[in-house]
Amino acid sequence: MHALIIIDVQNDFCPGGALAVAGGDDIVAPINAIMPDYDAVILTQDWHPAGHSSFASSHNADPMTMTQMPYGPQVLWPDHCVIGTAGASFHKDLNVDAADLIIRKGFNPAIDSYSAFFENDHTTPTGLEGYLRTRGITDLTMVGLATDFCVNYSAVDAAKLGFNVTVRMDLCRAIDFDGSLKAATDGMKVAGVSL
């Protein structure tokens, strides 16, 4: 069984959004086109309460600076994907109706969550692993936004959990902040992810 995991194709990560990824909307139509090829389609949705601890505005800091959290280093982001806002909604052209499951992450105000599998403490699970196991899914193909953060963390965690993981680099787009794309691709390869 093979699932397509579509990461965070939301308005705030597309051009015009609060944390826009260049070309983020270019991948929507090709992602829709491959949905029928998979046994399951899963969407992840970044879903932050206002005032989230990963927001620069919560620390009177500049966006894209670093801070230390109890769970380790954390990029401070512009406010994005705030629950109930248009920015948190999926891109209007994404075929949301094809999804078997939508998993929301980042809703705990004290901790950020890049991975579809764990919060950034790397121990608090989202429940996605259990869902995949009970459905008998062994193979995952990941697409979406952004390659070097949420896609990367999700792919590495999935590989560590024993899934066969492929990232379709043509159907992802990166923030590429301070060398993050190269670090992410190197890390994914080391973890056994097929790019």
Side-chain angles (χ1 to χ4, degrees):
M1 294 274 282
H2 197 160
L4 179 64
I5 313 258
I6 302 163
I7 312 266
D8 298 0
V9 180
Q10 294 166 257
N11 291 328
D12 269 345
F13 297 126
C14 290
L19 186 48
V21 181
D25 49 357
D26 297 342
I27 61 176
V28 176
I31 288 172
N32 287 341
I34 64 171
M35 288 182 186
D37 301 339
Y38 293 87
D39 300 305
V41 174
I42 294 154
L43 304 180
T44 72
Q45 191 172 21
D46 217 31
W47 200 244
H48 296 305
H52 193 273
S53 63
S54 71
F55 292 167
S57 62
S58 299
H59 301 266
N60 293 318
D62 291 326
M64 310 309 283
T65 55
M66 296 293 293
T67 192
Q68 276 295 324
M69 295 290 205
Y71 51 86
Q74 171 70 48
V75 179
L76 293 176
W77 303 106
D79 290 22
H80 67 281
C81 297
V82 173
I83 294 168
T85 64
S89 298
F90 291 110
H91 188 280
K92 66 179 173 43
D93 296 332
L94 186 69
N95 181 8
V96 176
D97 292 347
D100 298 62
L101 176 73
I102 296 170
I103 194 149
R104 288 173 166 165
K105 59 191 181 62
F107 50 77
N108 177 342
I111 186 164
D112 208 6
S113 191
Y114 297 155
S115 171
F117 291 91
F118 295 99
E119 293 184 349
N120 281 6
D121 60 3
H122 305 294
T123 52
T124 307
T126 62
L128 179 56
E129 179 193 3
Y131 176 85
L132 296 171
R133 301 255 188 246
T134 54
R135 288 208 50 192
I137 292 165
T138 53
D139 294 79
L140 307 177
T141 294
M142 298 195 178
V143 299
L145 306 171
T147 318
D148 39 344
F149 285 93
C150 295
V151 175
N152 167 38
Y153 278 70
S154 299
V156 169
D157 280 347
K160 285 180 181 166
L161 292 168
F163 293 96
N164 299 317
V165 186
T166 301
V167 171
R168 284 277 305 263
M169 297 295 281
D170 58 324
L171 298 181
C172 298
R173 293 293 181 270
I175 295 173
D176 203 11
F177 161 63
D178 203 16
S180 56
L181 181 59
K182 184 182 188 311
T185 52
D186 291 349
M188 286 190 282
K189 287 175 188 166
V190 168
V193 175
S194 301
L195 303 181

